[in-house]
Amino acid sequence: MNSFLKKHKILLLLGKIFPKSNYRYFHCDKYWMYGNIIDSTVRNAFIHNTFEDDALFKEISFFLNNKSTYVDIGANYGLHAMGVISLNRKKKIYTHLIEPNSDCISCLKKTIKKNYLDNAYLHEIAIGEENGSVTFQYNRNFSVTGSVCSRFLKQSQDLQKTKTWKSYSVSKITIDQWINENALKTVKVMKLDTSGYDWNIYCGGQKTFKGGLINVIFFDLLKEQLFLHGTKVSQIIKFLLDNGYYLYHSIGQKNEKKHIFNLGNQNRSYCPMDVKKMLERENCEKSYKHVHGMAVHSSYLNDIKVTKYA
């Protein structure tokens, strides 16, 4: 057994013996984080003292200029948002963290206060296809399992361990309503990470997405998670295309066909998604299980110099 696994097991054991020690502050890339060490995502960051996905943070940061707005839907304990904030500490970025998990929200409040993040705003809500209220359920030992989708929750085997699950009512609003309430004229980048609940969010944002109010979207197409929510990959792809977005792989693709984006004095290359091929192979069990996607609205592309290489 390697030392990495030993550290995980030791922390879990200590958590059972001393439950009050589960919640703690720890350093991550020169910032203080506060979270539940029993949660595997937090525990991993605690052990490594770094945020979770530096490669993606750099891609997101490329599009963020001074005084731009960044929205994180599915903020969890804030490890992703803080990774982006860390790379943009010299810029004034307005960061909105949206999360229905009350445990994550209480920890995020401490993280934001400890680091004096005046431009970070918390929203304890669920974004969905309509306004109202909904029951949110999550595994207290693994927060990313949380969902407001009853279909998904019924099929989750972890629900059999009822003692580790918590449920309560949360407010749910559409992205159109949320944009209006917060008087946001433009969102430079939105990160969408809801473990398969994506379609409901898109359905509640017809005006927002069609009008290009969100310039760039970073999203994950998790085939199995989408299926458990009653959604197909093709629904997401077609929706984004119909609303004026061009689709790219955000990370993890290397081939000759690429587009070079130029913003200011920086360049980034992105591979366009082969949408036709993806749709043709959608029903192939082994194809496209996890796609790291990026959608750039056509109205925003006018502000970017793009060089295409076939």
Side-chain angles (χ1 to χ4, degrees):
M1 183 184 297
N2 61 41
S3 59
F4 178 69
L5 290 176
K6 284 182 180 178
K7 288 181 180 179
H8 275 275
K9 291 200 170 187
I10 290 172
L11 286 171
L12 287 171
L13 178 61
L14 289 173
K16 290 181 179 180
I17 299 174
F18 306 106
K20 292 184 179 180
S21 70
N22 291 338
Y23 289 86
R24 65 179 75 179
Y25 285 104
F26 60 94
H27 262 116
C28 250
D29 293 349
K30 298 181 180 180
Y31 283 91
W32 284 103
M33 296 296 300
Y34 189 83
N36 180 7
I37 305 299
I38 295 300
D39 185 278
S40 60
T41 306
V42 176
R43 190 168 63 253
N44 194 58
F46 173 77
I47 291 172
H48 291 288
N49 295 118
T50 188
F51 299 111
E52 55 186 6
D53 197 346
D54 187 59
L56 185 58
F57 301 154
K58 291 178 181 178
E59 303 304 334
I60 290 174
S61 299
F62 172 69
F63 294 97
L64 294 174
N65 51 19
N66 193 40
K67 295 185 179 180
S68 58
T69 298
Y70 173 60
V71 174
D72 186 343
I73 298 183
N76 202 253
Y77 284 100
L79 294 167
H80 196 288
M82 290 301 296
V84 174
I85 289 172
S86 177
L87 287 181
N88 294 276
R89 45 172 69 96
K90 293 183 179 180
K91 303 175 188 175
K92 187 176 183 179
I93 304 297
Y94 300 100
T95 304
H96 293 265
L97 299 96
I98 300 175
E99 176 57 52
N101 188 320
S102 60
D103 185 60
C104 291
I105 287 290
S106 64
C107 291
L108 279 167
K109 288 178 180 178
K110 292 180 181 294
T111 295
I112 288 173
K113 184 177 180 179
K114 186 77 170 177
N115 294 290
Y116 304 100
L117 301 177
D118 296 332
N119 298 317
Y121 310 95
L122 294 182
H123 307 271
E124 189 177 353
I125 55 173
I127 302 292
E129 72 286 357
E130 60 185 4
N131 299 322
S133 61
V134 68
T135 299
F136 176 76
Q137 298 186 57
Y138 77 100
N139 186 329
R140 288 176 291 182
N141 295 339
F142 193 38
S143 58
V144 294
T145 57
S147 181
V148 297
C149 177
S150 58
R151 175 191 172 100
F152 169 75
L153 292 167
K154 285 178 181 178
Q155 297 182 74
S156 176
Q157 295 180 356
D158 287 336
L159 274 175
Q160 295 171 9
K161 303 173 184 177
T162 54
K163 291 183 179 180
T164 65
W165 281 75
K166 186 177 180 180
S167 64
Y168 48 86
S169 179
V170 296
S171 297
K172 181 175 70 170
I173 66 173
T174 65
I175 193 71
D176 283 344
Q177 180 70 20
W178 183 82
I179 289 283
N180 183 61
E181 288 182 0
N182 288 275
L184 299 178
K185 296 182 178 180
T186 303
V187 173
K188 187 64 66 179
V189 179
M190 182 182 82
K191 186 272 286 181
L192 180 58
D193 183 8
T194 57
S195 299
Y197 190 68
D198 311 35
W199 179 245
N200 300 71
I201 294 170
Y202 288 125
C203 287
Q206 302 286 339
K207 180 180 178 181
T208 296
F209 295 110
K210 189 72 175 179
L213 297 180
I214 298 174
N215 297 164
V216 184
I217 307 168
F218 282 84
F219 60 96
D220 284 338
L221 291 176
L222 295 163
K223 191 173 183 178
E224 183 178 345
Q225 296 278 29
L226 288 169
F227 177 76
L228 291 175
H229 283 82
T231 305
K232 299 182 73 174
V233 170
S234 57
Q235 289 176 254
I236 306 294
I237 290 176
K238 290 176 180 178
F239 176 88
L240 290 169
L241 292 175
D242 290 344
N243 283 277
Y245 286 92
Y246 288 85
L247 304 184
Y248 297 86
H249 293 277
S250 58
I251 55 176
Q253 289 291 314
K254 295 181 180 180
N255 56 46
E256 293 181 359
K257 188 176 182 180
K258 60 184 178 181
H259 293 179
I260 307 297
F261 284 46
N262 179 270
L263 277 173
N265 297 319
Q266 291 186 311
N267 293 325
R268 274 281 194 279
S269 63
Y270 296 100
C271 297
M273 282 189 187
D274 190 338
V275 173
K276 183 179 179 181
K277 186 176 179 180
M278 289 182 69
L279 296 180
E280 288 175 349
R281 299 185 61 188
E282 179 177 30
N283 295 322
C284 177
E285 185 178 346
K286 295 183 179 180
S287 66
Y288 307 110
K289 290 186 176 181
H290 186 177
V291 176
H292 299 280
M294 181 183 79
V296 184
H297 199 268
S298 55
S299 61
Y300 179 58
L301 278 176
N302 295 328
D303 299 330
I304 304 172
K305 180 181 178 182
V306 181
T307 306
K308 300 179 179 181
Y309 294 93

